[in-house]
């Protein structure tokens, strides 16, 4: 008797961070690629994708309206392709002076007040205290994207604790757990996951390679440890975005 091998499936239903929307940033380059990525997510057991296109002044000048309109068009394409997947619109903001301007306008893309942002990769942002103050003043909940990828913190693990104590939530990239970015990034992702410091996980998928690798991640012992040691909030979001 022959049995068809069934691939591992995610224990989560929601991906919190992706660049699957086509034509809008450095993610999916066309609708066909985006639909292939969506099918991979469906095979892995996901039911909801929170799309988070980059918003970075003078580089990715996306607006909430543009992101939401692109999301609506892609949702229709997903349905027409017969893929059972809900697409929600949010964003990944770059922490710089432009971000402060966006915050002060109080028109940010978020999911139930959870706001995803990233630090520069070469050095910590000089304005984070002001950014954090302005976010909290407006009742946003700051979620730092892929903290494991900021190499300037790799030898300062106490900085992660300081950020958590401030009230910053952490979202790590699943592919970091299997060394996709580098061995040091993998080690920090393991440190954060092992110590229960992770609040969200995301694919940070920009292309089909990223979604395909998730099959390996979900089978890994690191993924099992992540699920066991952390209270992940991914699956609390089904309502959509509020401006």
């Amino acid at each position: 008797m022959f049995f068809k091998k069934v691939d591992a499936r995610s224990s989560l239903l929601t991906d919190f961070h992706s660049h699957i929307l086509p034509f809008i940033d450095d993610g999916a380059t066309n609708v066909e690629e985006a639909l292939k990525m969506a099918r991979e997510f469906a095979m892995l057991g996901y039911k909801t994708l929170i799309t988070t296109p980059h918003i970075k002044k003078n580089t990715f000048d996306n607006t909430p309206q543009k992101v939401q309109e692109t999301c609506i068009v892609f949702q229709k394409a997903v349905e027409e392709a017969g893929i059972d997947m809900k697409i929600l619109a949010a964003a990944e903001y770059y922490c710089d002076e432009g971000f402060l301007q966006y915050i002060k306008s109080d028109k940010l893309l978020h999911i139930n007040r959870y706001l995803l942002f990233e630090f520069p990769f070469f050095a910590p942002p000089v304005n984070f205290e002001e950014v954090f103050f302005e976010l909290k003043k407006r009742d946003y909940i700051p979620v730092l994207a892929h903290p494991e990828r900021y190499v300037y913190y790799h030898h300062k693990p106490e900085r992660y604790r300081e950020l958590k104590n401030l009230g910053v939530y952490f979202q790590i990239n699943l592919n970091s757990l299997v060394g996709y970015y580098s061995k040091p990034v993998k080690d920090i992702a393991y440190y954060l996951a092992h110590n229960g410091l992770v609040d969200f996980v995301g694919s940070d998928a920009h292309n089909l390679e990223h979604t395909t690798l998730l099959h390996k991640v979900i089978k890994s012992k690191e993924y099992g440890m992540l699920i066991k040691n952390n209270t992940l909030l991914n699956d609390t979001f089904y309502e959509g975005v509020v401006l």
Side-chain angles (χ1 to χ4, degrees):
M1 182 178 294
F2 295 94
F3 295 93
K4 181 179 179 181
K5 182 180 179 181
V6 178
D7 204 352
R9 294 173 71 84
S10 171
S11 60
L12 298 170
L13 301 174
T14 305
D15 182 60
F16 190 75
H17 179 179
S18 76
H19 299 268
I20 195 172
L21 291 184
F23 312 119
I24 202 167
D25 63 359
D26 59 347
T29 56
N30 54 58
V31 175
E32 181 181 7
E33 180 183 23
L35 289 174
K36 287 180 179 178
M37 293 167 66
R39 288 191 182 94
E40 287 289 332
F41 278 115
M43 288 173 60
L44 289 160
Y46 288 96
K47 296 294 184 183
T48 303
L49 302 181
I50 298 175
T51 62
T52 51
H54 292 290
I55 294 183
K56 181 180 180 182
K57 199 168 185 64
N58 300 322
T59 305
F60 299 108
D61 288 314
N62 290 312
T63 63
Q65 181 180 357
K66 181 179 179 181
V67 173
Q68 289 178 311
E69 289 175 351
T70 306
C71 186
I72 290 169
V73 171
F74 183 60
Q75 177 72 72
K76 184 177 180 181
V78 166
E79 292 169 1
E80 291 176 348
I83 303 170
D84 181 18
M85 190 71 64
K86 178 68 174 176
I87 312 296
L88 302 181
E92 179 183 17
Y93 289 89
Y94 186 79
C95 189
D96 61 3
E97 286 302 316
F99 187 30
L100 266 176
Q101 295 174 25
Y102 293 132
I103 295 169
K104 291 176 180 179
S105 75
D106 209 16
K107 292 183 179 179
L108 298 171
L109 274 168
H110 60 90
I111 297 290
N112 294 356
R113 309 306 291 181
Y114 288 88
L115 189 82
L116 185 70
F117 67 98
E118 65 176 338
F119 282 169
F121 283 105
F122 53 87
V126 296
N127 64 340
F128 178 66
E129 288 187 6
E130 185 178 3
V131 163
F132 182 79
F133 173 79
E134 294 293 339
L135 287 173
K136 298 299 287 185
K137 184 169 74 173
R138 292 167 174 79
D139 294 323
Y140 290 109
I141 305 167
V143 181
L144 180 60
H146 40 64
E148 74 277 10
R149 297 186 64 191
Y150 306 122
V151 296
Y152 42 81
Y153 288 154
H154 283 187
H155 299 293
K156 299 178 180 179
E158 69 278 4
R159 185 56 179 149
Y160 293 113
R161 297 283 185 177
E162 290 170 2
L163 288 169
K164 290 291 291 185
N165 289 338
L166 273 177
V168 177
Y169 286 58
F170 286 170
Q171 173 263 306
I172 69 167
N173 287 0
L174 285 172
N175 287 341
S176 294
L177 292 171
V178 295
Y180 176 79
Y181 301 98
S182 71
K183 176 68 163 54
V185 169
K186 177 182 178 180
D187 290 343
I188 295 298
Y190 186 93
Y191 165 81
L192 295 172
H194 181 74
N195 287 282
L197 299 176
V198 181
D199 304 289
F200 298 96
V201 293
S203 66
D204 198 3
H206 286 65
N207 51 55
L208 195 58
E209 177 186 4
H210 291 164
T211 52
T212 301
L213 184 59
L214 292 176
H215 291 274
K216 175 182 178 181
V217 176
I218 289 168
K219 294 176 182 177
S220 70
K221 65 180 185 298
E222 289 86 358
Y223 181 80
M225 178 272 295
L226 167 79
I227 297 298
K228 179 181 177 181
N229 289 13
N230 298 270
T231 302
L232 300 178
L233 303 175
N234 288 52
D235 289 342
T236 60
F237 303 105
Y238 291 97
E239 296 302 319
V241 66
V242 179
L243 288 177

